[in-house]
Amino acid sequence: MRGIATAVGMLLFATTGTGAAQAAERGNPLRVTALSVTPDSVDATSDDATVDINWTVADVNAAATDMTGHVTVQQVAADGRPKGAPHDISFSFQPRWPYEADPTGGTIAKADYSHAFRVPQYSDAPDARWAVVRFTAEDDQGGRLTLGWKKLARFGADFEARSLVDATGPGHNSLALHYDEQDYGYNAETSVTKRYRINVTDAESGFHEGKITLRGSGGGTVVTGFGLVTDQDGYLMCGEWPAFDTKDVSCTVDVTIPVGAPAGTWSVTEVELVDAVGNVSTSGGLTKGPVHVTQNSTLSATDFSVSPEEYNNWNGMAPLTVTMRPVGARAGIASVTVLLSCGGSVTADPVVAADGTVSVKASVPPVHTRECGVTGIGITDGAGNAAAYGAAFHGPVLDLVARQIAAGEPPVVSSARLATNTVTTASLPTRVRLTLDVKSFVGIGQFSLTI
């Protein structure tokens, strides 16, 4: 939904020196001596409106040679309280990437800064009020200054913007466990943390923050928040990924399931997303990114083994078999996941042998894999119960390692023959094929020939 209205005739003025001393804390070497915004009203409906934010920072510490900081602009309510998504402007006295504002004049003792702030096109109302709501600065001598919206209000650094109205919340897609995340977790002795990925879209004001809810089939709920943050280098991030466009953002979310939380299949059942102007959208009834959480109490396993303990991969892939004996399985074994330091596999509907054991086939890559250990075993029975072992799942330790067989004897040439025994002088230079019969345990890597 979009709406356009005429600008409200409201004038907001900036003060400078009067509030500076009041804004600085007693004994702090840093202080803001001026802060203003011009003009005091703009039309942002065409998405190209800017206002100039100007500020002056003083540092009475004569030893200081550098300063960095952040100016935060945000939409505000009638009482001046911030709302919606903050917009951060970074500055540095010594010009450096990726800081956005450099000094326009002065020295470290009293430096002037200016930044052309692009006013967001969308808000939650046709006429929106914006203000500088937070100011931080830090010099290279340990001096620090932080001012919130109440202390900054004395400067009157605010403006009105005619805006388009965003009345709908964000959407999402691609919600799943992260690409390299495992879907088993053992939480009898420690919590289980799993990383999810989600792509959020909002074509109007852009994404701001959200939360995902995980629920376990055996009970328990975990709610985890995520959102856009500016890191210490000034980059906008969503989890571990950079956010280049707030209207189409990929995020990572680390979810921690507490130690001892009920065993079962934990899945994302609800996603709540908030856009930059505060619209909320909620998606429920989901079953995304299932994780098998277990204390190995209902289903477990014993008698783990790997065979052969020495494999021959000198001339190609080498087969391995990982065997275990499930205990307490209900309705059979649905799947077994085996993770190896040299690979891994998932076997659905594995065959249970007459002696009650289950075997999973795997392969070792050729030649250069000198050792292959079992790092994780996950088992799920037909009733949905799970068991997890190994470091990959934070489960009980597995001591299952197979190693490459020794290379054996060095290669031996049993015969050599030329394609021809006679070469005329007139035919020189020429090529003659030499055939060698070689016995080698590991194959031939290179050879030299002397004539």
Side-chain angles (χ1 to χ4, degrees):
M1 174 181 178
R2 299 181 176 183
I4 301 176
T6 56
V8 176
M10 180 176 182
L11 297 178
L12 302 167
F13 296 95
T15 62
T16 55
T18 304
Q22 297 172 335
E25 296 179 358
R26 185 181 299 274
N28 194 324
L30 306 181
R31 64 182 63 187
V32 177
T33 62
L35 176 64
S36 64
V37 180
T38 56
D40 57 17
S41 64
V42 293
D43 184 343
T45 57
S46 60
D47 196 27
D48 59 0
T50 61
V51 295
D52 290 328
I53 301 176
N54 305 288
W55 65 96
T56 301
V57 191
D59 191 341
V60 298
N61 189 340
T65 61
D66 196 12
M67 180 190 303
T68 59
H70 297 269
V71 177
T72 302
V73 182
Q74 199 166 350
Q75 193 176 346
V76 295
D79 61 356
R81 190 179 304 274
K83 64 177 183 177
H87 299 265
D88 190 74
I89 304 164
S90 58
F91 68 92
S92 173
F93 180 77
Q94 302 289 351
R96 61 168 70 90
W97 174 263
Y99 290 88
E100 299 165 271
D102 303 328
T104 58
T107 66
I108 188 70
K110 190 174 183 181
D112 300 321
Y113 297 84
S114 182
H115 178 76
F117 173 70
R118 185 168 180 173
V119 182
Q121 184 181 22
Y122 288 90
S123 69
D124 61 348
D127 295 291
R129 182 183 173 209
W130 297 79
V132 176
V133 298
R134 181 176 171 83
F135 187 99
T136 63
E138 179 178 356
D139 68 18
D140 58 356
Q141 299 301 310
R144 292 180 176 86
L145 175 67
T146 299
L147 301 176
W149 65 275
K150 290 184 178 179
K151 289 185 177 180
L152 292 172
R154 70 181 74 249
F155 290 100
D158 51 9
F159 63 95
E160 292 285 328
R162 185 169 59 170
S163 310
L164 302 180
V165 177
D166 180 0
T168 58
H172 75 275
N173 53 56
S174 303
L175 172 59
L177 282 170
H178 197 51
Y179 300 108
D180 57 354
E181 192 61 78
Q182 305 301 330
D183 60 355
Y184 282 87
Y186 178 81
N187 75 329
E189 301 171 0
T190 185
S191 59
V192 171
T193 298
K194 296 296 179 181
R195 175 164 292 179
Y196 287 81
R197 56 185 170 86
I198 183 172
N199 183 255
V200 184
T201 58
D202 189 293
E204 296 178 317
S205 62
F207 172 63
H208 174 37
E209 61 185 3
K211 58 186 178 181
I212 63 175
T213 300
L214 266 71
R215 290 188 173 88
S217 59
T221 300
V222 173
V223 181
T224 304
F226 67 102
L228 297 175
V229 296
T230 302
D231 69 7
Q232 61 181 4
D233 295 321
Y235 293 103
L236 192 63
M237 307 289 292
C238 194
E240 293 297 314
W241 286 343
F244 300 108
D245 181 2
T246 63
K247 297 182 180 182
D248 190 349
V249 184
S250 292
C251 305
T252 63
V253 188
D254 291 341
V255 177
T256 298
I257 300 172
V259 58
T265 302
W266 287 68
S267 303
V268 178
T269 59
E270 183 174 292
V271 176
E272 180 180 295
L273 302 171
V274 183
D275 66 16
V277 302
N279 295 310
V280 179
S281 63
T282 302
S283 301
L286 308 175
T287 54
K288 299 291 187 178
V291 175
H292 304 291
V293 176
T294 178
Q295 296 96 42
N296 296 352
S297 55
T298 301
L299 176 66
S300 60
T302 61
D303 300 337
F304 298 101
S305 66
V306 59
S307 64
E309 292 184 353
E310 288 190 327
Y311 54 82
N312 182 359
N313 66 335
W314 287 107
N315 295 291
M317 302 285 285
L320 279 185
T321 300
V322 180
T323 302
M324 67 220 69
R325 187 186 305 277
V327 178
R330 301 175 184 176
I333 299 299
S335 69
V336 177
T337 296
V338 174
L339 301 181
L340 306 173
S341 60
C342 62
S345 67
V346 178
T347 301
D349 298 321
V351 176
V352 179
D355 63 356
T357 60
V358 173
S359 296
V360 174
K361 303 294 183 182
S363 297
V364 181
V367 184
H368 299 293
T369 304
R370 306 290 193 248
E371 182 177 285
C372 188
V374 180
T375 59
I377 293 178
I379 310 168
T380 301
D381 69 14
N385 301 304
Y389 295 86
F393 301 142
H394 305 287
V397 174
L398 292 170
D399 186 17
L400 300 174
V401 180
R403 293 177 174 85
Q404 186 182 56
I405 196 168
E409 298 296 327
V412 176
V413 178
S414 58
S415 66
R417 55 189 180 275
L418 292 169
T420 180
N421 295 323
T422 304
V423 177
T424 64
T425 304
S427 66
L428 295 177
T430 187
R431 294 178 179 271
V432 178
R433 180 181 296 277
L434 172 64
T435 302
L436 303 176
D437 292 327
V438 182
K439 181 180 179 181
S440 173
F441 183 75
V442 301
I444 301 300
Q446 63 183 11
F447 70 92
S448 63
L449 179 66
T450 301
I451 299 178

